Amino acid sequence: MTAVLSSAPGPLQLLPTPEYGNGWLKIDDGSTVISLPRNNDPYNEIYTVRGRWWSMCEDYLINPRPSKSPPREQREIDADWAGFSALIHGKIKDFHHAIKEKYHHNTYAFFGSDREFKAYGTVCWRTTFQSIRRPPLPRPEKDVFNAKPHFYGELGETRTALYPGMSAGQTVPNEVFRISEPDEEGDGTVPHRSGIAPKEHTGIKSMLRVSVGHEPAYKDSAMAREFTLRSIVQIAQAIKGTSLDYE
């Protein structure tokens, strides 16, 4: 997944833009909650943060390869990361800036939003540390934030944080974090806050909220199909009297 997406502008352009706001990525270690981004800059604060246990992109998976020469392998990994970072700060950021608040003056939109189809409004990494002998270990914010992966190869829903100053052989007090479940009503892919985002913009003629999943929206919702047909008719009627009008 990383090898494909890290070099594909299209999927990466679906990442949250600065308009999504601050605080949508959270790290909860049981005593402190860190919320990112803080300065409305997800490109530098999240997407291109390298080598942390919570990093979005793991550099060694961009172009996974066996190598008998570790120095050569590291040089290649560094080059791969440079390419990924340039993509984020180039085509991805530029595209986000280009479409900011851009809506056609004759726009109709429907979106799915229901508790049955939850999506990620925020993403939270929470500690799984539990012990009968002592409560979760208090950690200064900088430790949780700057911790490195305890070991490579964790590809599922958990990550083990190696705190600065701890050796890789120690398992305590390193902590395991698990990613949260989807937390916001939506369509199973897009959260409510994104679906309704166009509402306040000029040019939006009509919007409809329906209870339907993202992929089967037209298949499963007669209301969505009827709204779309009505929208097409309205758009076609608006062409009358313009240069696009056919006699």
Side-chain angles (χ1 to χ4, degrees):
M1 192 74 167
T2 302
V4 173
L5 295 188
S6 60
S7 60
L12 290 174
Q13 286 167 349
L14 296 175
L15 287 168
T17 69
E19 288 69 55
Y20 197 77
N22 289 319
W24 52 264
L25 175 63
K26 300 181 184 298
I27 301 170
D28 181 355
D29 76 339
S31 58
T32 303
V33 177
I34 301 171
S35 297
L36 300 169
R38 294 165 172 162
N39 304 303
N40 231 23
D41 183 7
Y43 312 102
N44 287 304
E45 295 183 70
I46 297 176
Y47 305 150
T48 58
V49 173
R50 184 183 184 187
R52 310 283 172 80
W53 65 267
W54 53 268
S55 294
M56 183 187 81
C57 181
E58 290 159 316
D59 55 8
Y60 72 101
L61 292 176
I62 293 175
N63 186 12
R65 66 181 75 75
S67 175
K68 296 180 180 179
S69 170
R72 179 174 179 271
E73 179 180 355
Q74 188 58 53
R75 286 195 299 270
E76 292 174 350
I77 290 175
D78 291 343
D80 293 337
W81 181 263
F84 167 74
S85 184
L87 181 62
I88 291 291
H89 289 289
K91 290 184 178 180
I92 309 310
K93 186 176 181 179
D94 291 348
F95 176 78
H96 287 175
H97 179 73
I99 65 169
K100 180 181 178 181
E101 298 183 355
K102 296 291 196 311
Y103 293 90
H104 191 273
H105 64 272
N106 192 21
T107 296
Y108 296 79
F110 78 85
F111 65 101
S113 180
D114 193 281
R115 290 181 181 179
E116 184 182 348
F117 305 105
K118 285 190 174 180
Y120 282 102
T122 59
V123 177
C124 183
W125 287 99
R126 290 190 178 91
T127 182
T128 63
F129 183 87
Q130 294 179 350
S131 171
I132 339 178
R133 291 171 284 183
R134 55 182 172 177
L137 298 169
R139 294 283 178 194
E141 180 176 319
K142 62 179 181 180
D143 285 342
V144 179
F145 184 79
N146 290 319
K148 298 182 179 300
H150 182 251
F151 59 89
Y152 290 116
E154 289 185 300
L155 305 179
E157 299 173 347
T158 60
R159 292 291 185 276
T160 305
L162 174 63
Y163 290 104
M166 303 297 174
S167 67
Q170 291 179 293
T171 56
V172 176
N174 300 332
E175 291 185 59
V176 176
F177 289 79
R178 179 177 294 277
I179 204 164
S180 62
E181 295 294 329
D183 65 332
E184 188 172 308
E185 56 188 36
D187 66 4
T189 300
V190 180
H192 177 86
R193 68 180 78 182
S194 293
I196 204 171
K199 184 179 179 180
E200 303 303 322
H201 292 275
T202 58
I204 306 299
K205 300 299 184 182
S206 181
M207 285 194 71
L208 175 69
R209 173 180 176 176
V210 292
S211 174
V212 70
H214 185 83
E215 185 175 347
Y218 292 105
K219 174 186 174 184
D220 292 353
S221 174
M223 189 177 295
R225 294 194 297 270
E226 291 167 4
F227 177 84
T228 302
L229 178 59
R230 171 183 174 272
S231 300
I232 292 172
V233 171
Q234 296 278 17
I235 292 170
Q237 289 177 342
I239 290 175
K240 291 181 179 179
T242 71
S243 60
L244 297 177
D245 193 6
Y246 287 92
E247 295 183 0

